[in-house]
Amino acid sequence: QVHLMQSGAEVKKPGASVKVSCKTSGYTFTTYALHWVRQAPGQRPEWMGWILPNNGNTKYSQNFQGRVTITRDTSATTAYMELSRLRSEDTAIYYCARSWFGDFSFDYWGQGTLVTVSS
Amino acid sequence: QSALTQPPSASGSPGQSVTISCTGTSSDIGGYNSVCWYQHHPGKAPKLIMLEVSRRPSGVPDRFSGSKSGNTASLTVSGLQAEDEAEYYCSSYGGSNNVIFGGGTKLTVL
């Protein structure tokens, strides 16, 4: 069965970077896009970007352009999201989610990774 | 981009029906048939329960139905059950290779 397993909770200081992983299993890694969506406390979910694992192409939300980098390791069937220059407003649960290429309906999600930014 | 508007809460008794609305604009909901609904129980991964406005993924009970009129999409849950109590989020393609979400509706089964 399809499974997206994310790395554990992180606590970071303002200005630092965080890298969250999303290990996939149960399907062919290169045939679906992987997205990152975050949800800050009390806020609506916010789409951050996607990666096409077959070729590594990425697309980022303008809200995170320049601060977010999404990568993948096809041999490990794992995607990564790195967010730099962290500030307190980046405290949120970060999710990876799967979709068909070119689609934005997310049929499987990871369990979420809490990232806390605090001095 | 504008966000999608959902009522913060909805409720119904077991067996009843409840409808949750999601209002956007002609640039998102009104412009595309790409509305999704997600069910989210606290501490668990969100679950896709509706895509393309009214298509249920395999395994989602037919008690869940979706529709759209103009810039407003709706999710109806019929025959409410205790396990339907959760947060429900809508999303829509917003153009320019982007997706936007609603603020969520907390559904309470009385």
Side-chain angles (χ1 to χ4, degrees):
Chain A
Q1 66 279 26
V2 175
H3 199 52
L4 279 60
M5 176 62 73
Q6 298 183 223
S7 48
E10 302 262 13
V11 179
K12 296 291 182 181
K13 293 196 182 303
S17 297
V18 68
K19 191 170 186 177
V20 181
S21 68
C22 174
K23 165 70 176 172
T24 72
S25 60
Y27 72 97
T28 303
F29 181 66
T30 51
T31 57
Y32 290 83
L34 281 168
H35 302 249
W36 289 89
V37 176
R38 80 174 187 182
Q39 187 168 23
Q43 302 297 312
R44 68 190 63 235
E46 184 176 21
W47 178 78
M48 301 178 70
W50 54 245
I51 188 165
L52 304 183
N54 61 324
N55 58 20
N57 285 353
T58 54
K59 167 73 175 180
Y60 302 127
S61 165
Q62 283 190 322
N63 293 340
F64 300 94
Q65 200 78 33
R67 285 209 303 142
V68 68
T69 305
I70 301 175
T71 57
R72 94 298 191 212
D73 179 343
T74 53
S75 63
T77 65
T78 299
Y80 304 90
M81 185 283 301
E82 184 169 22
L83 188 63
S84 63
R85 303 193 299 279
L86 289 169
R87 36 201 189 235
S88 58
E89 309 89 88
D90 293 318
T91 294
I93 299 176
Y94 289 76
Y95 296 95
C96 60
R98 189 188 82 159
S99 81
W100 291 103
F101 286 178
D103 194 47
F104 285 92
S105 56
F106 308 131
D107 61 351
Y108 286 93
W109 296 63
Q111 83 278 18
T113 296
L114 175 62
V115 174
T116 303
V117 183
S118 174
S119 53
Chain B
Q1 270 158 346
S2 50
L4 305 179
T5 301
Q6 297 181 237
S9 64
S11 63
S13 300
Q16 289 187 331
S17 294
V18 64
T19 297
I20 300 170
S21 62
C22 173
T23 301
T25 69
S26 57
S27 297
D28 38 71
I29 290 178
Y32 307 94
N33 286 322
S34 298
V35 177
C36 294
W37 290 90
Y38 299 92
Q39 179 189 64
H40 193 194
H41 289 104
K44 298 185 71 175
K47 178 184 178 182
L48 177 68
I49 58 170
M50 200 68 61
L51 66 157
E52 297 171 358
V53 177
S54 58
R55 186 156 77 95
R56 278 179 289 106
S58 173
V60 174
D62 59 7
R63 302 186 294 104
F64 293 88
S65 61
S67 63
K68 186 184 87 166
S69 177
N71 299 334
T72 298
S74 299
L75 173 74
T76 298
V77 187
S78 306
L80 270 175
Q81 298 181 5
E83 60 262 33
D84 299 332
E85 185 161 299
E87 192 88 20
Y88 289 83
Y89 293 93
C90 61
S91 73
S92 175
Y93 181 66
S96 303
N97 233 320
N98 211 333
V99 62
I100 55 175
F101 289 87
T105 298
K106 175 76 170 80
L107 174 60
T108 300
V109 181
L110 302 170

